[in-house]
Amino acid sequence: MPKYGSNVRFDTQVIKADTPENISRAAHLAAQLLRQGQVVGMPTETVYGLAANAFDDSAVEKIFLAKGRPQDNPLIVHISDKDMLEELTAECGDVRRQLIDSFWPGPLTVIFPKSGRVSLKVTAGLDTVAVRMPVHPVALAMISEAGFPLAAPSANLSGLPSTTCAQHVQNDLSGKIPLIVDGGECSVGLESTVVAVKENTITVLRPGGVTAEMLKKAVPWAEIKIAEAVFKPLKEGESAPSPGMKHKHYSPKAKVILCTGKPEKIVDFANGYAGKNAVFIGSREVCAGVTIDRLEYEASPEDEARHIFSYLRRADELGYAFVVIAESENAGIGMAINNRLLRAAGFEVVEL
């Protein structure tokens, strides 16, 4: 078997998991590789993950090598049933239990005090572990067949936009990993919401498909806070308690120009990039007035979330130098979209 981090390349296999029979076959093959300490491209409802045995230090190290991921960036551990949680933490509490009952399986990651079994490589040296149970049937089948929790960050080269279909994973990691399981396009399109819990306070460290409004409805007695690092860079020397907080993320090779203002001003601003090899990403309604090249989505924030990473990748495939895009409404899943766009744009926003 080729060694990670060497010049030897894998003959990466892509296997479809689109029927019950194919899901079973794919899960079986993936589990064999995972038990051997390999890493595998795994579909989830959020984005594709790069999965390895969360209890195997050597396997976890291969995730970082394949992605070129900084070692101080913690990983999320994925489970297929709530019993697996007992291997990862000895503490839960009423608030976390309510969150689990309300949103698992689904796009919510909860941070727990870690057990001794969890590697410090997974947690980037922290005494906490981030855990979620995906809803995607292929992910659940792979974890269940393997028989252990899977550490799985997004299956992309570090810093690039996350992967929301198997082709994206293949584009980034072909030759670097032995297997990609193709479970179709991701239904959410953004990484999971990550929350920390302290007494009766829930702090959103990374917004995602489970919104702050949904958290408040599920746990009405808790206070919901949004971490400063959702919209600002971490301070120098500050540890990242959640993935997606510290390093450059979600950025295409093209320069992302993030703007905010009234639609007519956004249209005028975008049209000012005529002749500059630029593309505008926006809703069909706004795109109607844009004269430069454009990539359109429907008006809903949920549709924008499903398309944003694939369109950023598409901009690179088409060779654009600039991507012009407007901030989303900062409510619901729009907060998660803005969080990703801010990082893609290096926290620079053009106010119109």
Side-chain angles (χ1 to χ4, degrees):
M1 186 69 71
K3 294 181 180 180
Y4 292 77
S6 73
N7 293 324
V8 180
R9 293 175 63 82
F10 288 95
D11 182 13
T12 303
Q13 181 180 2
V14 181
I15 184 171
K16 284 274 190 182
D18 53 355
T19 66
E21 293 78 14
N22 285 346
I23 291 174
S24 178
R25 174 171 167 263
H28 181 71
L29 178 58
Q32 285 183 315
L33 289 167
L34 291 164
R35 292 190 200 104
Q36 295 168 13
Q38 302 300 323
V39 297
V40 173
M42 176 179 74
T44 80
E45 72 278 15
T46 56
V47 298
Y48 272 69
L50 187 59
N53 184 350
F55 297 141
D56 183 337
D57 280 2
S58 175
V60 171
E61 179 68 18
K62 291 171 184 175
I63 293 176
F64 290 94
L65 291 172
K67 283 177 59 72
R69 182 183 177 96
Q71 296 279 345
D72 60 348
N73 201 2
L75 307 178
I76 292 174
V77 178
H78 295 67
I79 61 176
S80 57
D81 62 70
K82 295 176 184 177
D83 289 343
M84 279 188 176
L85 187 59
E86 296 177 5
E87 301 178 83
L88 302 170
T89 183
E91 298 182 36
C92 190
D94 292 341
V95 174
R96 290 191 187 94
R97 181 61 60 190
Q98 184 65 26
L99 290 172
I100 289 170
D101 291 343
S102 299
F103 298 110
W104 283 10
L108 178 71
T109 295
V110 182
I111 293 181
F112 298 85
K114 83 174 192 69
S115 72
R117 288 204 66 187
V118 181
S119 167
L120 290 175
K121 289 185 179 291
V122 171
T123 66
L126 300 172
D127 59 3
T128 56
V129 60
V131 185
R132 91 173 183 100
M133 185 191 302
V135 73
H136 199 294
V138 178
L140 292 173
M142 287 174 59
I143 302 165
S144 179
E145 181 79 13
F148 42 72
L150 299 181
S154 54
N156 56 287
L157 291 176
S158 187
L160 294 182
S162 298
T163 50
T164 57
C165 68
Q167 185 62 56
H168 293 163
V169 184
Q170 195 170 0
N171 292 346
D172 279 20
L173 299 176
S174 182
K176 296 177 179 291
I177 61 175
L179 177 68
I180 300 166
V181 178
D182 183 353
E185 293 190 8
C186 300
S187 59
V188 177
L190 295 176
E191 297 85 354
S192 62
T193 304
V194 180
V195 298
V197 176
K198 186 175 182 181
E199 297 177 349
N200 286 335
T201 299
I202 300 170
T203 301
V204 177
L205 302 178
R206 182 181 71 186
V210 174
T211 67
E213 295 86 349
M214 294 164 66
L215 293 170
K216 186 62 179 177
K217 185 176 180 180
V219 195
W221 69 86
E223 180 184 7
I224 310 298
K225 291 185 176 181
I226 310 299
E228 285 187 9
V230 167
F231 298 116
K232 297 179 182 179
L234 285 175
K235 298 174 184 176
E236 188 172 348
E238 187 177 357
S239 296
S242 164
M245 295 183 74
K246 187 170 186 179
H247 298 279
K248 181 182 178 183
H249 281 283
Y250 320 122
S251 297
K253 297 172 184 176
K255 181 173 177 58
V256 176
I257 311 297
L258 180 60
C259 56
T260 182
K262 293 182 179 180
E264 58 270 21
K265 290 190 175 183
I266 291 170
V267 168
D268 290 342
F269 178 77
N271 290 340
Y273 275 80
K276 297 181 180 179
N277 191 24
V279 63
F280 179 77
I281 299 177
S283 68
R284 187 164 297 165
E285 181 181 10
V286 175
C287 281
V290 174
T291 57
I292 65 171
D293 292 348
R294 54 196 186 267
L295 295 168
E296 303 176 355
Y297 53 82
E298 297 295 338
S300 74
E302 290 75 17
D303 197 57
E304 181 180 4
R306 279 190 291 271
H307 285 90
I308 194 65
F309 285 143
S310 63
Y311 280 176
L312 290 175
R313 285 179 167 269
R314 183 65 176 154
D316 278 348
E317 291 169 6
L318 296 172
Y320 290 106
F322 298 96
V323 173
V324 182
I325 190 166
E327 278 192 328
S328 186
E329 183 180 353
N330 202 35
I333 201 169
M335 182 186 293
I337 296 169
N338 288 340
N339 168 265
R340 306 319 192 265
L341 293 179
L342 278 168
R343 280 166 167 73
F347 291 93
E348 296 180 4
V349 183
V350 178
E351 296 187 8
L352 304 173

